[in-house]
């Protein structure tokens, strides 16, 4: 399916999509957040052919999203666990969820919902500037720059060239 | 590639991924936000085979993400424009972007960046409950429920069964 590799793209969206790979991959990540760790659990949940699931898990391990550990019971089956990089995919899952909730369900239709541990709903994600103002698409520009040298990971911020 | 259709899944993440389709689709949406409207513009930007691009555009129109309009100059070429449903994919693009920025670029590497019209950076997306508290993955539960009958669209909120 892939004709062009985007792992060297200067657009972070393109590079993220390249690293995530495809559609099934985010469902594996969703299931990992739900506590699934074993090949058989992912397979039952997703109804995916074993060779395809195996390839997707291998890719997620290679990309540092999951880590593979020996089975806790000493058995032959390894388990798969989200890394910190994998855990940070959570915002993408919520963005997908909220769009799906809004546009792909009829009123009253059966749907999984999310709550926090005190049963409060989750706030809607929105695009704000650093001053906390909500931005419309027209307010946003995409320009050339560089990744900041100052910081990494969770708190990393980009800066202009 | 697809073995299971998820358009009837009760999980909004699965249904959203089913509607978005694949990896290329979000890059078409990204380019539409950047003002591209013509088949040839998408093709130049994405380097995608014409038949595949054509199929993706058709699917995005069928799913109500893009709308096809006759060319403004009266020519033979139609143009493609984001619908309101399509514009609301923006949060997913930003979630992908922020994860890509954090994890897939070296410090100092060339990267496109986003700013608002006053050149302020965009705030980091984070998962909050309705009281504004930041949630860790462990704080979140996914449970059975239904889509609310009370409201639709942008402000729709889910409720428990």
């Amino acid at each position: 399916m892939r004709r062009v590799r985007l792992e060297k793209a200067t657009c972070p969206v393109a590079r993220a999509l390249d690293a995530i790979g495809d559609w099934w991959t985010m469902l594996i990540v969703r299931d990992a957040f739900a506590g699934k760790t074993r090949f058989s659990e992912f397979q039952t949940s997703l109804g995916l052919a074993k060779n395809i699931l195996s390839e997707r898990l291998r890719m997620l391990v290679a990309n540092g999203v999951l880590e593979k550990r020996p089975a806790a019971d000493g058995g032959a089956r390894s388990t798969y666990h989200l890394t910190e990089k994998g855990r940070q995919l959570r915002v993408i899952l919520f963005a997908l969820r909220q769009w799906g909730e809004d546009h792909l369900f009829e009123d009253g239709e059966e749907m999984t919902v999310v709550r926090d541990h005190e049963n409060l709903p989750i706030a809607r994600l929105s695009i704000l500037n650093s001053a906390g103002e909500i931005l419309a698409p027209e307010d946003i520009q995409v320009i050339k720059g560089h990744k900041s040298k100052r910081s990494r990971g969770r708190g990393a911020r980009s800066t202009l060239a």
Side-chain angles (χ1 to χ4, degrees), chain A residues 111-127:
Chain A
M111 177 176 87
T112 63
V113 297
V114 285
R115 290 290 183 276
D116 77 356
H117 53 295
E118 290 178 339
N119 211 31
L120 288 174
I122 312 303
R124 179 156 292 270
L125 293 166
S126 49
I127 312 287

Side-chain angles (χ1 to χ4, degrees), chain A residues 72-122:
Chain A
D73 60 6
R77 304 287 184 188
S78 304
T79 56
Y80 296 88
H81 304 265
L82 288 164
T83 62
E84 184 56 31
K85 180 177 176 180
R87 284 163 60 93
Q88 292 183 20
L89 288 168
R90 195 171 56 118
V91 179
I92 300 173
L93 284 179
F94 271 85
L96 286 162
R97 163 177 276 280
Q98 292 184 349
W99 187 79
E101 288 176 353
D102 284 351
H103 297 288
L104 305 173
F105 286 80
E106 299 295 322
D107 292 352
E109 190 175 358
E110 190 179 346
M111 177 176 87
T112 63
V113 297
V114 285
R115 290 290 183 276
D116 77 356
H117 53 295
E118 290 178 339
N119 211 31
L120 288 174
I122 312 303

Side-chain angles (χ1 to χ4, degrees), chain A residues 1-7 17-22 59:
Chain A
M1 290 288 279
R2 291 195 191 176
R3 279 159 178 74
V4 181
R5 292 294 310 209
L6 295 172
E7 64 195 354
L17 289 166
D18 191 76
I20 291 169
D22 80 357
M59 194 201 83

Side-chain angles (χ1 to χ4, degrees), chain A residues 124-136 139-140 157:
Chain A
R124 179 156 292 270
L125 293 166
S126 49
I127 312 287
L128 310 172
N129 65 14
S130 57
E133 297 161 333
I134 294 180
L135 300 177
D139 296 330
I140 294 168
R157 291 270 285 280

Side-chain angles (χ1 to χ4, degrees), chain A residues 12-76:
Chain A
V13 176
R15 225 181 258 199
L17 289 166
D18 191 76
I20 291 169
D22 80 357
W23 186 75
W24 285 108
T25 314
M26 286 305 285
L27 294 180
I28 296 171
V29 170
R30 174 200 67 178
D31 284 353
F33 275 113
K36 294 182 173 55
T37 61
R38 298 173 70 108
F39 189 96
S40 58
E41 292 178 299
F42 293 115
Q43 222 229 325
T44 303
S45 167
L46 300 174
L48 194 55
K50 284 188 182 181
N51 62 327
I52 294 180
L53 175 58
S54 184
E55 167 57 23
R56 294 293 181 278
L57 288 168
R58 192 201 58 71
M59 194 201 83
L60 287 169
V61 171
N63 286 346
V65 168
L66 294 178
E67 60 177 5
K68 195 171 176 178
R69 296 183 197 157
D73 60 6

